[in-house]
Amino acid sequence: MKLTVYLAGQIHDDWRSEVKKLAEEHHLPIDFVGPMENHDRSDDIGEEILGQQPNPILKDEAASQINNLRTQVLMNKSDVIIALFGKTYKQWNTAMDASTAITLGKPLILIRPEELHHALKEISNKAQVVVQTPQQAIQALSYIFETA
Amino acid sequence: MKLTVYLAGQIHDDWRSEVKKLAEEHHLPIDFVGPMENHDRSDDIGEEILGQQPNPILKDEAASQINNLRTQVLMNKSDVIIALFGKTYKQWNTAMDASTAITLGKPLILIRPEELHHALKEISNKAQVVVQTPQQAIQALSYIFETA
Amino acid sequence: MKLTVYLAGQIHDDWRSEVKKLAEEHHLPIDFVGPMENHDRSDDIGEEILGQQPNPILKDEAASQINNLRTQVLMNKSDVIIALFGKTYKQWNTAMDASTAITLGKPLILIRPEELHHALKEISNKAQVVVQTPQQAIQALSYIFETA
Amino acid sequence: MKLTVYLAGQIHDDWRSEVKKLAEEHHLPIDFVGPMENHDRSDDIGEEILGQQPNPILKDEAASQINNLRTQVLMNKSDVIIALFGKTYKQWNTAMDASTAITLGKPLILIRPEELHHALKEISNKAQVVVQTPQQAIQALSYIFETA
Amino acid sequence: MKLTVYLAGQIHDDWRSEVKKLAEEHHLPIDFVGPMENHDRSDDIGEEILGQQPNPILKDEAASQINNLRTQVLMNKSDVIIALFGKTYKQWNTAMDASTAITLGKPLILIRPEELHHALKEISNKAQVVVQTPQQAIQALSYIFETA
Amino acid sequence: MKLTVYLAGQIHDDWRSEVKKLAEEHHLPIDFVGPMENHDRSDDIGEEILGQQPNPILKDEAASQINNLRTQVLMNKSDVIIALFGKTYKQWNTAMDASTAITLGKPLILIRPEELHHALKEISNKAQVVVQTPQQAIQALSYIFETA
Amino acid sequence: MKLTVYLAGQIHDDWRSEVKKLAEEHHLPIDFVGPMENHDRSDDIGEEILGQQPNPILKDEAASQINNLRTQVLMNKSDVIIALFGKTYKQWNTAMDASTAITLGKPLILIRPEELHHALKEISNKAQVVVQTPQQAIQALSYIFETA
Amino acid sequence: MKLTVYLAGQIHDDWRSEVKKLAEEHHLPIDFVGPMENHDRSDDIGEEILGQQPNPILKDEAASQINNLRTQVLMNKSDVIIALFGKTYKQWNTAMDASTAITLGKPLILIRPEELHHALKEISNKAQVVVQTPQQAIQALSYIFETA
């Protein structure tokens, strides 16, 4: 049995690489998918495909329609979603993806530093698992494959 | 025909009163529902019902289970969701509620200051309507009831 | 028992008035809902609420987000959809509304002149009832309420 | 990961070949499916299987039941739908397929010449991505598979 | 609390009147709905609305599209379905309605003479309740409303 | 706005009366529904309707089909489910009802003495709210209706 | 692309062999599944697994629970259902399976002799395709795989 | 065709080994999945991943979030659920898993000693198949694959 896991959240550091490396170390049969991690490309993809837009809002709208296409296709293929919240960014799209997954019946593993708990309390309450590090998330995934 | 509209978003100013007053002025047959607007009560409701908790995280968890109960029941009853994002707060629960509504097939009207567009671009793209003021949201709702 | 019926289709003649008048003559307990029938208002509603747009495409996009809000809310409330196709217009939104209704498990009554059959053959095949006149559609609705 | 993409729309020119060729050039792991592209065969398939029909309407009904069988089976298997609208035909079945896909939770990429925007504004608003050329549609699909 | 109950099954005797009379005697707050019970009218309704058809099969097709419209609308409104099978007729539409109800999450009460058990064994196994008389079906419905 | 609340759980003491009395004292607009509380009648209802059964297992099967009919109809009508677990009984049907409600998207309030926590830990984790007394459950329901 | 097709209907002649042979001749990539075709085994499977039952009704109930298990598992795996009605038997389970498939969003191909049309008119109206012979059903399936 | 079968129920004896051995003997193409069978590990997994918890209830809550993650992922992948109830334990989570499966449209095979029938009568009534031994459950699964 293979699982597909969507990695939602900030694309400003290399937490996804850490997750993938840990999964490899545990020999977990998991395909990881997620958003475009090249931040500039993610912001520019709308204009790249649709041409220059008249203003920043329309540039954003053009980009988000392509990014949301990617997210919808990959989340439909996924069995589990991991969402990581960091201290710096707004991350409203991460909260949106997390909630979409839950409503579609796919379990959410939430990774967040403890100090963000208050602001994340409603999402924490809906998540299936709440942890603080990518390593703990991998431990939870690993447990799915363990036999006694 | 009556509609029920859930008002998601920050509870730190009186935007909900403005929405309700405008709806009354337009004589719209709408029941508005939403989260507990008394901020302290919203934070304390868990301990009020379940007793004192050992630490702030557990206090938050206790509160969020009661707040999410309220949200789930009222959103299930709603025909439309309005979500307002302001400049100050994290508002991850607002993003979560907005996404839950969309996934359940209920249209979202998003209210946000234009300067938040970049951070909200993925949610904007999923919203049915994006506006900047409560008055515009009410105009959109009013249009549903208009006859030629 | 009351029914709510959504009247999809062109807004360029008074077929909806005919449907409503016939329903009244049959004393049918039906609430009719539908799109904004004032064509100019339907085209202008986006700019009316969101302000002037930089070009016709964006004016259309602004209008369609408000019009689709209205359609989604009213179709969610409806038990049956009637879609009328005439000879003149593109009416792609009518085909879209008809198909949305069917996929949501709500039966479609299709009204069309016989000469349009070829172009409408796939929608005809998915419709629950295909007729040529509003009067026939009302007869079909009336039959739902009849007792032997 | 492989994707299946349904190509809805007119069968009077070779736009599907262009889409497939471009996908091959990008080495995209995509299986394309779609309607019968031989127009005469599509019109005659009902009589071919069910025998001669008494009149053109019944010939159309016979054909559309077989064509809709094909569409339903292949759309159920698909992850994304691309719908292309051209300038010439009614294309109501294309609008129907597009809307069915969206209602089933499958994202729609809409290809249309800009001059059709007004007539397609409600479908554009529901589509996940709106472009003008097959090449742009392939760029959007390609983006799903890209890694940073 | 009121319930709506759909009475599926043969329209050749007065079992529905018996059900309704018994419900009245028990003062049950139930609205009963069901198919057209006038057999000739049920067979002729297609031609009545759509005009004379070229052959009996097309007459049947015309009638069944109107009868299925009625069934779909009324079953969507119902909380429970009662299906009665008698000894004489094919009653394939009754089996179809029963199965539709179950798949939609609405419980089925099956009424049948014991001697039909073998032919009905798969439907019996899917029904929530299997009885032999309308009176037993009403006892089961009455039990829903009882307080200790 | 009115809510309907299903009270699942043991029928051997008067906890439902306490819940209803507390709701009345809080003037909550709630209709409470639930299983047959007369234990003997609940066990005997199958034979009462279907006649004497050959053995205790078939008597149980006859009763459970009628009891499950009642549960399914009333749970379909409910907005919230409260499930109370006590110390004495198996209560597997209570666990079943609780899980059905959650899977249908209806929130669960779980009432249980703290000493049962270990055995109920998986259900607790899926419940929206976990409390120890009917009074706490009513406080949670009351909070849904409060305005600031 | 492979399809799985469930063959519902009578098990008293060899129509399934004919379907499979024709599919092989057309080189169609289809896995056919269906009910147990050994009639005695189908009737006896309940007692074979659960032991002798006290009476014929309970023997039937035991058998149907195992047969319905098989049907549910295999229909969940299927993309299309073919249902064949013959002249001799009650075939209520065939009507039930056909309707379950349709309600689950899987298209139905109905095979029946023309003389059964009247009794099958409501199911015919819900089927995606109605034919008279297994050969025609295979032609319809073959058409799904054809490229122009 | 391969099936995935989830084995819910107590983890205190080796009934799963027996099921798997029997399936192997019958050469059934089945992948069996299920909960963590090492009881201590199942109880301790929460603290292992999340660190020591302040009290037994929170230790249980930590464990159950990881165990429920495993269950949700594996049940989403399964075609059939087998739930075994023994005489000793509370097994409320088994009842919960069984009911979740049924509500999701996956058939349940219930294994229980006959003396538990009364307490399990409502679940028995919802199960597709009720047997007393793992061997009988395997016979039922085997029947799905048999050809006449």
Side-chain angles (χ1 to χ4, degrees), chain H residues 103-114:
Chain H
T103 312
L104 292 173
K106 299 172 192 276
L108 172 70
I109 299 175
L110 179 66
I111 309 176
R112 55 98 188 86
E114 206 170 287

Side-chain angles (χ1 to χ4, degrees), chain C residues 127-148:
Chain C
Q128 184 52 53
V129 172
V130 181
V131 299
Q132 297 187 54
T133 66
Q135 179 154 1
Q136 290 171 315
I138 285 295
Q139 283 179 280
L141 287 176
S142 175
Y143 182 72
I144 298 172
F145 295 99
E146 277 178 47
T147 51

Side-chain angles (χ1 to χ4, degrees), chain H residues 21-47:
Chain H
K21 207 187 62 180
L22 288 164
E24 249 174 68
E25 286 169 18
H26 285 71
H27 305 292
L28 301 182
I30 297 179
D31 287 332
F32 290 100
V33 294
M36 166 53 59
E37 293 175 58
N38 178 328
H39 193 261
D40 286 347
R41 189 152 168 68
S42 166
D43 276 358
D44 296 342
I45 186 64
E47 291 198 332

